[in-house]
């Protein structure tokens, strides 16, 4: 539930509302909106039915969110969230690009990738150091050494770094190296991991689980925000469907749904979303047109010899071409006023 206070509500009224919320065994978070304070009521949904605050002084109205999340909802936070990663803004139409290989394979490979990514104009270098692979016999990643190489690449190019964290025990270590912590699709409902990430002071990119509904995905984001970290970026990366031509079915309608339901920025990953490098360009363009705040895509200096996901990785030449299109389209969406801020 969200309680919207009147714009002239004083501190005392807010205090009374908070007390009523707590007396019902619930807790509250206050958010300063553009014109008025908004109180997000959090806790067991069952207890919300007994909460009657509409008659209290200063309350304009209550909005029932019959869902499992409150803090990430648009009702609680009507303005779109913009996440500042050391000067790079994500959200509200600033289309950022996170590009790089699926995995950090060697120092030479990640340095070459970083030069390519930098020259093409993306702001982030991506690369997995801890790889959650379907088969235990596939390349599992360079682990901490991979993180060190990523940090060296940042040093060399000035690119921001994003990499995946797969275990609670590694969160602090990965956070020391990266600018954004990534949660992979396979870990979207790893609730202990989400809670630990909620206690960090680093942005988190939360990929949609491969069979997760939008509500489950936003509820996973709520786990992070509820622990105190409100710097969450969502990432649509395709969902499982009966279609087998593509690796996953990229759900671009999720971009529109998120713009309506949540204030969090949303990035689209057409590489994992399709599994085919040829489809990355059209799906990246479509994502920008749909209002995505960023694109994550896999690029490899030589996809033919990639240790993972070569078939969906762009060559350096294709990457430059796709970047040109993304830049032109995002500029056009902004300048023409066609960018969809919210729905
Ligand atoms: C990745 O981005 O490296 C990755 C493993 O993707 P996903 O979690 O979406 O499968
Ligand atoms: Mn990959």
């Amino acid at each position: 539930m969200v309680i919207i206070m009147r714009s002239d509500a004083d501190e005392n009224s807010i205090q009374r509302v908070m007390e009523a919320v707590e007396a019902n065994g619930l807790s509250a978070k206050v958010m300063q909106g553009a014109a008025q304070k908004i109180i997000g009521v959090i806790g067991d949904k069952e207890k919300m039915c007994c909460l009657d605050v509409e008659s209290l002084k200063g309350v304009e109205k209550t909005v029932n969110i019959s869902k499992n999340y409150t803090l990430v909802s648009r009702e609680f936070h009507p303005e779109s969230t913009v996440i500042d990663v050391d000067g790079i803004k994500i959200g509200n139409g600033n289309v950022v690009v996170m590009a790089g290989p699926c995995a950090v394979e060697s120092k030479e490979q990640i340095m070459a990738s970083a030069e390519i990514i930098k020259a093409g104009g993306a702001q982030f270098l991506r690369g997995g150091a801890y790889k959650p692979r379907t088969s235990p016999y596939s390349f599992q990643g360079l682990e901490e050494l991979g993180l060190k190489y990523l940090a060296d690449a940042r040093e060399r190019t000035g690119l921001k770094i994003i990499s995946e964290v797969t275990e609670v025990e590694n969160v602090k270590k990965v956070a020391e190296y990266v600018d954004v912590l990534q949660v992979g699709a396979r870990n979207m409902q790893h609730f202990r991991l989400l809670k630990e990430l909620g206690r960090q002071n680093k942005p988190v990119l939360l990929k949609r689980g491969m069979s997760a509904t939008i509500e489950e995905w936003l509820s996973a984001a709520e786990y992070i925000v509820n622990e105190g970290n409100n710097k969450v970026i969502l990432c649509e990366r395709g969902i499982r469907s009966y279609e087998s031509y593509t690796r996953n079915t990229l759900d671009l309608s999720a971009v529109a749904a998120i713009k309506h339901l949540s204030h969090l920025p949303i990035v689209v990953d057409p590489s994992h979303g399709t599994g085919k490098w040829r489809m990355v360009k059209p799906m990246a363009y479509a994502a920008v047109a749909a209002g995505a705040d960023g694109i994550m895509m896999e690029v490899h200096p030589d996809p033919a010899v990639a240790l993972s996901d070569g078939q969906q990785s762009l060559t350096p030449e294709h990457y430059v071409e796709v970047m040109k299109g993304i830049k032109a389209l995002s500029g056009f969406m902004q300048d023409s006023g066609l960018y969809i801020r919210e729905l």
Side-chain angles (χ1 to χ4, degrees):
M1 180 197 276
V2 161
I3 304 165
I4 300 171
M5 302 300 291
R6 290 165 45 125
S7 53
D8 59 359
D10 57 16
E11 278 308 313
N12 262 342
S13 318
I14 290 165
Q15 198 51 42
R16 285 294 104 70
V17 173
M18 303 281 275
E19 282 163 16
V21 168
E22 278 152 25
N24 279 270
L26 296 157
S27 59
K29 288 207 175 155
V30 184
M31 228 281 305
Q32 179 64 59
Q36 65 229 112
K37 288 215 161 86
I38 301 176
I39 301 174
V41 181
I42 41 192
D44 193 342
K45 271 196 296 185
E46 306 292 311
K47 294 182 180 159
M48 300 229 183
C49 59
C50 311
L51 183 64
D52 180 14
V53 290
E54 283 217 318
S55 56
L56 291 181
K57 190 167 163 255
V59 174
E60 186 172 299
K61 61 174 177 176
T62 60
V63 181
N64 274 318
I65 313 173
S66 57
K67 307 178 190 110
N68 290 314
Y69 55 84
T70 300
L71 304 176
V72 303
S73 72
R74 207 22 109 204
E75 286 91 342
F76 176 60
H77 193 298
E79 322 264 293
S80 296
T81 286
V82 177
I83 295 173
D84 191 325
V85 187
D86 262 332
I88 310 272
K89 295 199 165 51
I90 310 178
N92 226 356
N94 301 308
V95 178
V96 297
V97 179
M98 303 165 168
C102 180
V104 181
E105 299 171 3
S106 66
K107 180 143 183 169
E108 296 66 38
Q109 175 252 18
I110 202 65
M111 285 301 176
S113 302
E115 302 286 357
I116 294 160
I117 299 312
K118 176 76 182 176
Q123 298 87 343
F124 283 81
L125 175 66
R126 60 144 289 146
Y130 297 87
K131 292 305 300 174
R133 304 304 302 282
T134 301
S135 165
Y137 310 120
S138 304
F139 175 58
Q140 302 284 313
L142 297 182
E143 305 193 338
E144 192 167 1
L145 189 58
L147 295 174
K148 289 204 171 93
Y149 293 160
L150 283 168
D152 291 344
R154 171 177 48 207
E155 188 77 16
R156 167 103 55 104
T157 58
L159 288 165
K160 305 284 175 236
I161 301 297
I162 175 165
S163 196
E164 180 167 351
V165 57
T166 53
E167 279 159 80
V168 177
E169 294 67 32
N170 283 343
V171 167
K172 292 227 155 49
K173 181 162 60 190
V174 180
E176 276 170 29
Y177 288 97
V178 304
D179 299 292
V180 176
L181 291 149
Q182 177 173 327
V183 180
R186 290 155 192 80
N187 277 317
M188 189 206 82
Q189 284 188 318
H190 184 338
F191 299 118
R192 281 184 58 235
L193 180 64
L194 301 178
K195 284 189 184 177
E196 185 60 25
L197 290 165
R199 297 179 202 118
Q200 310 303 311
N201 187 25
K202 278 264 156 92
V204 176
L205 178 124
L206 178 66
K207 287 195 144 193
R208 181 179 182 181
M210 53 185 86
S211 304
T213 63
I214 285 168
E215 175 152 1
E216 286 163 342
W217 185 20
L218 287 172
S219 304
E222 183 92 0
Y223 264 88
I224 304 171
V225 178
N226 190 37
E227 291 296 321
N229 184 356
N230 54 15
K231 290 181 249 151
V232 178
I233 304 153
L234 299 166
C235 178
E236 161 61 38
R237 47 77 73 201
I239 48 175
R240 274 282 158 87
S241 80
Y242 56 80
E243 181 54 68
S244 59
Y245 176 68
T246 44
R247 180 177 181 182
N248 290 293
T249 294
L250 185 65
D251 179 14
L252 284 180
S253 74
V255 176
I258 294 299
K259 295 257 152 173
H260 177 60
L261 296 169
S262 178
H263 55 89
L264 297 177
I266 170 136
V267 163
V268 171
D269 171 354
S271 305
H272 293 90
T274 64
K276 293 185 185 307
W277 69 266
R278 275 177 204 286
M279 296 181 76
V280 168
K281 178 165 75 173
M283 292 302 99
Y285 293 179
V288 173
D293 301 301
I295 300 294
M296 172 177 267
M297 55 191 186
E298 290 187 336
V299 179
H300 194 283
D302 185 359
V305 299
L307 295 183
S308 61
D309 287 352
Q311 73 293 345
Q312 66 190 37
S313 299
L314 298 177
T315 60
E317 297 71 31
H318 284 129
Y319 160 68
V320 168
E321 184 189 329
V322 177
M323 279 305 291
K324 282 196 185 130
I326 291 173
K327 275 192 231 160
L329 267 172
S330 59
F332 173 74
M333 294 301 287
Q334 285 287 348
D335 299 346
S336 61
L338 286 176
Y339 167 67
I340 299 164
R341 186 159 276 104
E342 61 181 279
L343 276 169

